[in-house]
Amino acid sequence: MTIMASKLIKRFGEKSAVAGVDITVGEGEFFVLVGPSGCGKTTTLRMIAGLESIDEGRLEINSRPVNDVRPRDRDIAMVFQDYAIFPHLGVYDNIAYGLRSRRTPGAEIRRRVGEAAATFRIEHLLRRKPRQLSGGERQRVALARALVRDAQAYLYDEPLSNLDAQLRHQAREDILQLHRRQRKPTVYVTHDQSEALSMGDRMAVMRAGRIEQVGTPRELYEAPASRFVAFFIGTPSINLIEAELSRDDEGIVITAPAFTFRLPERLTARLTGPVEGPVTVGLRPEDLHTPRQAKFAVGEHNTLQAAVELIEPTTAGSTVYATVAGPDGRLDLTASFAGRLPDRYVGQEVPLAADLDRLHLFDPVSETSLLRRDPS
Ligand code: ATP
């Protein structure tokens, strides 16, 4: 069972909300579509569901063209952001609704509603009306309602965005657990990159109606194809620094307002573009370390003296906002440290060791990566 979308286009008036999207979701794959508000995620999902007509392109489910197949005949289950549960029906009847409309035998309905209620831990709520439920409970009813029957494919449109952080975490687990049991192709839409990174087998980053990059969460994090993807993926966001590449006798040098580093051999070998001229350097906050914590050789060649402006404690350690002053200007940098940095460091200078092997380089005009994928 697979979903295959090829060159999907959807126009609203003059504007293309979706401007040629290709997506293949394999057997049992959990595929996440992520991107900023208005980039066309929901419209893409609604075209797959059949709730929005397709202007151009081809959509196949299990190798069968379905462009003109009615939504209910596509055999897809969809969970919406706004829950879409019937306020006048009780929880049991809400969950049973889809099965009844498909003339499922009574005993089968009771069994399946019981199973779905158990999966989402709402057995004790089956007699209530939606207005007697909390937001989190209502959302679990919506999930149970959409997922009670065996569909060929599952689609989710930001189903967790109305939940608080803790409930969201639990609901992610519920959805993934159900997916592991059913192993049906799934497309999950979210604007939350951390949700995409933690849930997706593969993910696609959308921007202005197009897909910017597709890959595993790790591929998108480690080898972003563009400045946009690099900035969208990862928290805190990657540091982007306008710099200059030049060549000397020993290799390639990066000169930025507040530092000059030599490009490591490993990256030089992967460079695809011109080795001289302007460049945007990407340096992830988690690739800046205190010299003691660095797992690579630290020296003048990769260390910056940074003045700490603000320290934010995080679950994993600290986020440090700092500035580096150099002869040609000032640079604001964000660093994520594994350990706690005490507040007394605010206003002090600390050394920051940059893991230069993990730098990203982008063309400042086209914004695409200048590095070939690392074969290792
Ligand atoms: P969000 O995360 O905010 O829901 P999205 O990525 O899901 O955003 P879409 O809802 O797919 O984005 O919308 C893509 C673009 O198409 C937006 O510019 C939106 O305003 C426009 N659009 C969506 N539906 C319609 C419609 N029915 N009529 C006109 N324009 C629409």
Side-chain angles (χ1 to χ4, degrees), residues 157-170:
D157 188 6
E158 306 231 15
L160 311 183
S161 51
N162 295 336
L163 298 184
D164 68 40
Q166 211 147 24
L167 282 173
R168 201 153 62 213
H169 192 76
Q170 181 62 54

Side-chain angles (χ1 to χ4, degrees), residues 3 11 19 32 46 55-56 78 89 91 102 109 121 168 178 182 201 207 257 260-261 278 310 329 331 346 372-373:
I3 301 172
R11 294 184 199 94
V32 180
R46 288 173 59 84
D55 287 339
E56 279 179 49
M78 181 154 172
L89 293 182
V91 168
R102 279 163 200 266
I109 292 180
R121 301 177 314 284
R168 201 153 62 213
L178 190 85
Q182 296 181 322
D201 293 323
R207 175 192 196 182
T260 302
F261 287 150
L310 182 71
L331 186 64
V346 173
R372 209 172 293 118
R373 271 242 38 216

Side-chain angles (χ1 to χ4, degrees), residues 12 65 83 144 180 261 366 372 375:
F12 293 114
Y83 306 157
R180 284 184 209 114
F261 287 150
S366 70
R372 209 172 293 118

Side-chain angles (χ1 to χ4, degrees), residues 190-319:
T190 178
H191 62 268
D192 178 348
Q193 54 89 31
S194 72
E195 205 161 278
L197 287 173
S198 70
M199 294 181 84
D201 293 323
R202 282 190 312 140
M203 60 193 279
V205 173
M206 282 190 79
R207 175 192 196 182
R210 295 176 199 278
I211 289 183
E212 187 97 353
Q213 189 175 4
V214 185
T216 62
R218 196 190 165 124
E219 280 164 356
L220 268 63
Y221 174 82
E222 291 191 345
S226 68
R227 175 195 164 115
F228 180 84
V229 173
F231 194 71
F232 192 76
I233 302 285
T235 16
S237 289
I238 193 167
N239 296 293
L240 291 169
I241 305 153
E242 298 310 326
E244 197 76 24
L245 285 184
S246 57
R247 188 194 274 284
D248 68 9
D249 293 347
E250 289 168 52
I252 295 172
V253 176
I254 307 169
T255 311
F259 65 82
T260 302
F261 287 150
R262 189 163 286 287
L263 195 67
E265 274 298 307
R266 255 180 83 181
L267 295 196
T268 306
R270 290 170 49 207
L271 205 56
T272 58
V275 298
E276 286 180 278
V279 68
T280 306
V281 176
L283 177 57
R284 292 215 179 267
E286 45 282 30
D287 295 328
L288 282 166
H289 303 263
T290 59
R292 216 151 43 92
Q293 283 174 341
K295 295 195 171 66
F296 49 86
V298 174
E300 244 176 55
H301 69 287
N302 59 4
T303 305
L304 298 161
Q305 289 301 324
V308 176
E309 303 218 315
L310 182 71
I311 301 171
E312 254 174 30
T314 63
T315 42
S318 322
T319 302

Side-chain angles (χ1 to χ4, degrees), residues 12 15 17 36-43 158:
F12 293 114
K15 187 176 161 353
S37 183
C39 69
K41 309 178 293 288
T42 297
T43 307
E158 306 231 15

